Amino acid sequence: MQERKDQKTQQKKNSKSLFFFLILSLFVFQSSCTSDKEKQKQVDLPFYGHHDVVYQATEEYEVGDTVYHTVPQWEYLTHDSVLLNSKSIENKIWIADFFFSYCPTICPPMTKAMRGVSDSLSAYQKDLAFLSFSIDPDRDTPSRLRLYRERHEITADNWYFLAGDEAETHALGIDGFQLFANADEQAPGGFAHSSNFVLIDENQHIRGIYDGLDPDSRKQLIKDAKLLLNAK
């Protein structure tokens, strides 16, 4: 009788241990899945642009989910005369600005400032892309963009100078990246644009907008970019 009681007691202990082990395993599994799937959302950075709330469930979204503004797809010719599109770098973090090489005012100091950001984040080259979109593509040919890079001593392989359709680029800046970029006969050089740099996460959501000519703002950009990069 005593041996039977001991066996039942041991069985109960084993059942409890197995139960707690299964609960713990499930918790660990869910935690690891959540950390992989949601870690970009958990980064303590805002989302910029228009937000929508889902009112009808789909395969991708549940009711109540927030749909954040996404930079639309694009395709441009690089300074190396190679077509680059958003899909080819969609799993990277982006830092972008809009400029033109004949700009007589803010563009040269913006490029110098961006080079400093690039240097500070050089350890993350494989997960990071710098994008400088020309708003004056008629004059900013690939050869001209290469010359601009050389003059500014830019050697980073992950920094692309891009040119394409002028109207589409202006719309991409304003509607996509939330940066002003447009032709303006009254502006020096014939174009007006923002001096801001934009931080884009790997899902093409805008996570930060920074004054490229302000040292403190650039420091914050570097800090925020590292948050996204380290969460990949």
Side-chain angles (χ1 to χ4, degrees):
M1 288 291 292
Q2 183 61 39
E3 186 176 347
R4 241 183 205 182
K5 285 183 180 180
D6 291 342
Q7 287 178 346
K8 285 184 178 181
T9 301
Q10 187 62 40
Q11 286 175 350
K12 285 182 180 179
K13 287 182 179 179
N14 291 341
S15 296
K16 283 184 178 180
S17 298
L18 180 61
F19 173 77
F20 285 120
F21 174 76
L22 290 173
I23 292 296
L24 181 61
S25 299
L26 181 61
F27 174 77
V28 171
F29 174 74
Q30 288 179 333
S31 297
S32 63
C33 288
T34 299
S35 63
D36 288 342
K37 189 177 181 180
E38 303 293 334
K39 57 189 176 183
Q40 283 295 327
K41 290 185 180 180
Q42 292 172 357
V43 173
D44 188 20
L45 293 175
F47 289 82
Y48 288 77
H50 180 71
H51 297 8
D52 286 318
V53 176
V54 175
Y55 293 100
Q56 185 172 355
T58 65
E59 290 184 4
E60 190 175 358
Y61 297 104
E62 297 178 3
V63 173
D65 282 351
T66 301
V67 181
Y68 298 103
H69 171 78
T70 303
V71 174
Q73 293 184 10
W74 49 262
E75 184 174 72
Y76 284 89
L77 203 60
T78 73
H79 58 275
D80 286 327
S81 299
V82 176
L83 280 174
L84 180 77
N85 60 53
S86 49
K87 284 188 175 181
S88 62
I89 54 171
E90 64 182 351
N91 292 320
K92 296 178 183 287
I93 306 302
W94 305 347
I95 296 177
D97 71 345
F98 286 72
F99 85 113
F100 62 109
S101 70
Y102 288 92
C103 172
T105 54
I106 63 173
C107 293
M110 282 177 61
T111 301
K112 181 179 179 181
M114 185 72 90
R115 191 181 68 192
V117 176
S118 173
D119 291 343
S120 296
L121 296 170
S122 60
Y124 298 91
Q125 280 202 24
K126 69 182 182 68
D127 293 314
L128 177 63
F130 288 87
L131 308 172
S132 290
F133 294 90
S134 171
I135 58 176
D136 182 16
D138 288 343
R139 292 188 292 177
D140 281 340
T141 61
S143 60
R144 172 68 186 181
L145 293 176
R146 284 198 304 274
L147 178 61
Y148 186 82
R149 276 175 56 97
E150 291 170 7
R151 286 178 176 174
H152 289 271
E153 300 178 342
I154 297 167
T155 58
D157 292 333
N158 63 330
W159 188 347
Y160 305 98
F161 286 78
L162 306 162
D165 182 82
E166 182 178 325
E168 289 180 6
T169 304
H170 297 172
L172 180 67
I174 295 169
D175 299 327
F177 286 90
Q178 309 286 288
L179 294 180
F180 182 76
N182 216 340
D184 184 348
E185 292 181 358
Q186 304 302 315
F191 293 88
H193 63 92
S194 170
S195 64
N196 288 342
F197 299 161
V198 184
L199 177 64
I200 311 293
D201 69 20
E202 60 184 304
N203 298 309
Q204 286 82 62
H205 300 311
I206 300 175
R207 305 303 296 271
I209 299 176
Y210 312 83
D211 185 349
L213 299 180
D214 178 47
D216 290 336
S217 191
R218 294 198 302 273
K219 287 179 183 177
Q220 188 63 49
L221 165 57
I222 293 167
K223 179 181 177 182
D224 293 347
K226 287 181 178 180
L227 283 177
L228 289 178
L229 289 159
N230 290 328
K232 280 177 64 63

